[in-house]
Amino acid sequence: MNQGFLAERLGRYLRLVESERDALGELGEAERLVPRGTVLRAEQASARELYVVERGWLYSSILLPDGNRQILSIHLPCEFAGDAGMPWDKAPFTLIAATDAMVRIIDKAALRALFERHPRLGLLLYTLAQAERVALADRLASVGRTSAKARVAALICDISSRLRAGGEDVTHGIPLPLTQEEIGDATGLTAVHVNRMMRQLAEEGLIARTHGRVHILDETRLAGVANHIDRFATIDTSWLPTG
Amino acid sequence: MNQGFLAERLGRYLRLVESERDALGELGEAERLVPRGTVLRAEQASARELYVVERGWLYSSILLPDGNRQILSIHLPCEFAGDAGMPWDKAPFTLIAATDAMVRIIDKAALRALFERHPRLGLLLYTLAQAERVALADRLASVGRTSAKARVAALICDISSRLRAGGEDVTHGIPLPLTQEEIGDATGLTAVHVNRMMRQLAEEGLIARTHGRVHILDETRLAGVANHIDRFATIDTSWLPTG
DNA sequence: CGACTTTTTGAACGGCATCAACGACTGTGG
DNA sequence: CCACAGTCGTTGATGCCGTTCAAAAAGTCG
């Protein structure tokens, strides 16, 4: 699996042929280790590359002039990071490592070559970009129109189902290596209120917490209060060309 | 410009060659007239197609179980609508006409053919999808981390700069054919509070309002209270293959 | 152990929601 | 041309959810 993080991710959605696997394997130029808390790429920094998370978690965020921060999305292993910056030569967001992490660096030019030589993979990447857009839209609905408790629940549900989609065993709790401050920045709340909502979810028997991990006790009810829809579970690639 | 809405839009970012223009012209199968308030496509409805707005405004929204609604994005003339639904066979959002509108219908299969025959256009579509994702992220930051006044201001700035990017003359005010209820659903506020914030923006001399139109009096200050960044003005396609 | 970050809890405040009512406008049918 | 209904905009009064401020407890790392 050494050269295969990208192929593994894309292979979840499409049966890849040999030449496609090879092309994906050659895509990444270099790896980079990013210790927890480090800025991998700052807003407005030059952005000629994108990343694939190989280990650890990253997140992208925007800093507002008044010092407020919004975390836009969390990037789990095997997912892209920084790909939303493609349309610009300066990064629109800041990328930070939530845990010690390892990323593989992919150059824009390499992505261009991939689209030209493997249009089918291009179409798949397009499709996945649209799926990310929908994920962001779901978060917008959560932040714009639901209560604090629902937002925190939604974050937990989202991470859980993405970890599960990534093949991780979720039955014995999931890691949640984010400070309550970070959870607040992701959900549009203060750290103080995040704390209260987590406690409330625990008191209601929906989750249990143990230093850095969360155990989902009642998945159905939690998804209910969160208004969660697991969209990534049902991605339809049947209309893509066959390899 | 009869066959060229898509070519016109994409031509803003890339100098298209003849064969590409032809391919884009043949992409749309049919047109459809959508009167104001009509649902073009409901959440969960079968979704084998996407749309290009030819006239009028649409918006996509999610309806929460409690009856709350979040408007996710507004689709202006020459923009795509429903393209975020590509990864699924059921539509993730509802598409509604904000004004009487005309859309051109594009089949998923036609898009697939476009990617295969014109990888460069595929890459451009991928890039634009990422740009839409960033626009959504900016809205998330607005809704999650700014005041009611800032959110309303941001909506006005966003629409204004997109209309301008579309070639519309913005100096004598912009149309805003949305009810305050709809503006509230887009910004995560109630219609009542939208009203108050609009009045406040007017009292502060930032905007002027006349039935259905808004005049931006002080663009710099308005962009300031909105934390607005005009990202679409600077899309960089220099790394794409040359035609 | 000491400095720092993170979590937790309490008390008081405020922005936005909620509820309610009225006015302005639009279209429709008599 | 007017009566009427329906939608939308406007304004006031009240209340609650989440913020802000403050401080202590618990965890982490040198």
Side-chain angles (χ1 to χ4, degrees):
Chain A
M1 203 108 327
N2 195 15
Q3 59 143 39
F5 283 87
L6 239 184
E8 191 200 326
R9 172 80 200 285
L10 300 191
R12 285 182 209 158
Y13 303 108
L14 217 54
R15 186 190 305 270
L16 302 176
V17 300
E18 190 72 23
S19 65
E20 289 172 336
R21 290 196 163 275
D22 291 346
L24 290 172
E26 291 163 11
L27 208 52
E29 341 177 279
E31 286 181 321
R32 179 166 160 196
L33 194 71
V34 200
R36 167 175 150 72
T38 308
V39 173
L40 170 57
R41 187 171 80 185
E43 226 168 311
Q44 298 302 334
S46 154
R48 283 194 220 83
E49 48 201 34
L50 64 157
Y51 310 94
V52 174
V53 182
E54 294 190 343
R55 282 202 329 263
W57 295 19
L58 307 183
Y59 57 81
S60 38
S61 60
I62 293 186
L63 196 62
L64 297 177
D66 61 6
N68 258 323
R69 183 174 71 157
Q70 176 70 49
I71 291 183
L72 302 163
S73 35
I74 294 168
H75 309 290
L76 306 181
C78 277
E79 297 181 347
F80 287 102
D83 54 330
M86 296 266 85
W88 296 275
D89 55 0
K90 308 254 179 231
F93 317 139
T94 300
L95 272 172
I96 296 180
T99 71
D100 291 343
M102 175 77 86
V103 297
R104 182 163 290 275
I105 299 171
I106 296 176
D107 197 86
K108 275 191 191 183
L111 196 73
R112 176 180 73 194
L114 186 73
F115 266 76
E116 294 185 301
R117 287 188 210 130
H118 299 277
R120 189 172 86 119
L121 292 182
L123 194 50
L124 178 58
L125 290 178
Y126 171 79
T127 304
L128 291 178
Q130 296 289 21
E132 289 295 331
R133 208 176 134 192
V134 172
L136 208 50
D138 284 335
R139 307 225 9 248
L140 178 60
S142 175
V143 169
R145 284 300 191 201
T146 76
S147 70
K149 203 208 292 184
R151 295 186 216 175
V152 173
L155 185 74
I156 295 170
C157 286
D158 177 47
I159 288 174
S160 171
S161 57
R162 278 162 58 202
L163 286 174
R164 174 164 23 206
E168 201 153 319
D169 179 19
V170 161
T171 55
H172 301 293
I174 58 169
L176 190 62
L178 301 173
T179 67
Q180 296 184 349
E181 179 100 37
E182 288 167 331
I183 296 174
D185 285 343
T187 53
L189 299 167
T190 57
V192 172
H193 208 59
V194 167
N195 184 290
R196 291 194 236 268
M197 294 303 105
M198 300 264 289
R199 194 170 58 74
Q200 207 171 315
L201 289 173
E203 279 172 359
E204 292 172 9
L206 296 173
I207 63 172
R209 294 176 295 160
T210 48
H211 43 261
R213 293 186 71 86
V214 170
H215 206 124
I216 298 179
L217 299 176
D218 189 333
E219 190 166 358
T220 314
R221 275 208 300 146
L222 188 68
V225 313
N227 294 309
H228 181 253
I229 308 166
D230 190 353
R231 297 205 136 106
F232 277 79
T234 64
I235 284 191
D236 167 40
T237 53
S238 64
W239 60 285
L240 297 185
T242 53
Chain B
M1 204 111 324
N2 196 12
Q3 61 143 39
F5 283 89
L6 238 185
E8 190 200 325
R9 171 80 200 284
L10 300 191
R12 285 182 210 159
Y13 303 109
L14 217 55
R15 187 190 303 271
L16 302 176
V17 299
E18 191 70 22
S19 66
E20 289 171 335
R21 289 196 164 275
D22 290 346
L24 291 173
E26 290 162 13
L27 209 51
E29 339 176 282
E31 286 180 321
R32 180 166 160 195
L33 194 70
V34 201
R36 167 176 149 70
T38 308
V39 173
L40 171 57
R41 187 172 79 186
E43 225 168 312
Q44 298 302 334
S46 153
R48 283 194 219 83
E49 48 200 33
L50 64 156
Y51 310 94
V52 174
V53 182
E54 294 191 342
R55 283 203 329 265
W57 294 20
L58 307 183
Y59 56 81
S60 37
S61 61
I62 293 185
L63 195 63
L64 299 177
D66 61 7
N68 259 322
R69 182 174 71 157
Q70 176 71 46
I71 291 183
L72 302 163
S73 34
I74 294 168
H75 309 290
L76 305 182
C78 276
E79 297 181 347
F80 287 101
D83 53 330
M86 296 267 84
W88 296 276
D89 55 0
K90 308 255 179 229
F93 318 138
T94 300
L95 273 172
I96 295 180
T99 70
D100 291 343
M102 175 78 87
V103 299
R104 182 164 288 277
I105 300 170
I106 296 176
D107 197 84
K108 276 191 191 182
L111 196 73
R112 176 180 74 194
L114 186 74
F115 267 76
E116 293 185 300
R117 288 191 208 126
H118 299 276
R120 189 172 86 119
L121 292 182
L123 194 50
L124 179 58
L125 290 179
Y126 171 79
T127 304
L128 291 179
Q130 296 288 21
E132 289 294 331
R133 207 175 135 192
V134 172
L136 207 51
D138 284 335
R139 306 224 9 247
L140 177 60
S142 175
V143 169
R145 283 301 190 202
T146 75
S147 70
K149 202 208 292 186
R151 293 186 217 174
V152 173
L155 185 73
I156 295 171
C157 286
D158 177 46
I159 288 175
S160 170
S161 57
R162 276 162 58 204
L163 286 175
R164 175 167 19 210
E168 201 153 319
D169 179 19
V170 161
T171 55
H172 301 292
I174 59 169
L176 191 61
L178 301 173
T179 66
Q180 295 184 348
E181 179 101 38
E182 288 167 332
I183 296 174
D185 285 344
T187 52
L189 300 168
T190 58
V192 173
H193 209 58
V194 167
N195 184 292
R196 290 194 236 268
M197 293 303 104
M198 298 263 288
R199 195 168 61 72
Q200 208 171 315
L201 289 173
E203 279 172 359
E204 292 172 8
L206 296 173
I207 62 171
R209 295 176 294 159
T210 49
H211 43 263
R213 294 186 71 86
V214 170
H215 206 125
I216 298 180
L217 299 175
D218 189 332
E219 191 166 357
T220 313
R221 274 208 301 147
L222 188 68
V225 312
N227 294 308
H228 181 253
I229 308 166
D230 189 353
R231 296 205 138 107
F232 277 79
T234 62
I235 285 192
D236 168 40
T237 55
S238 64
W239 60 286
L240 296 187
T242 53

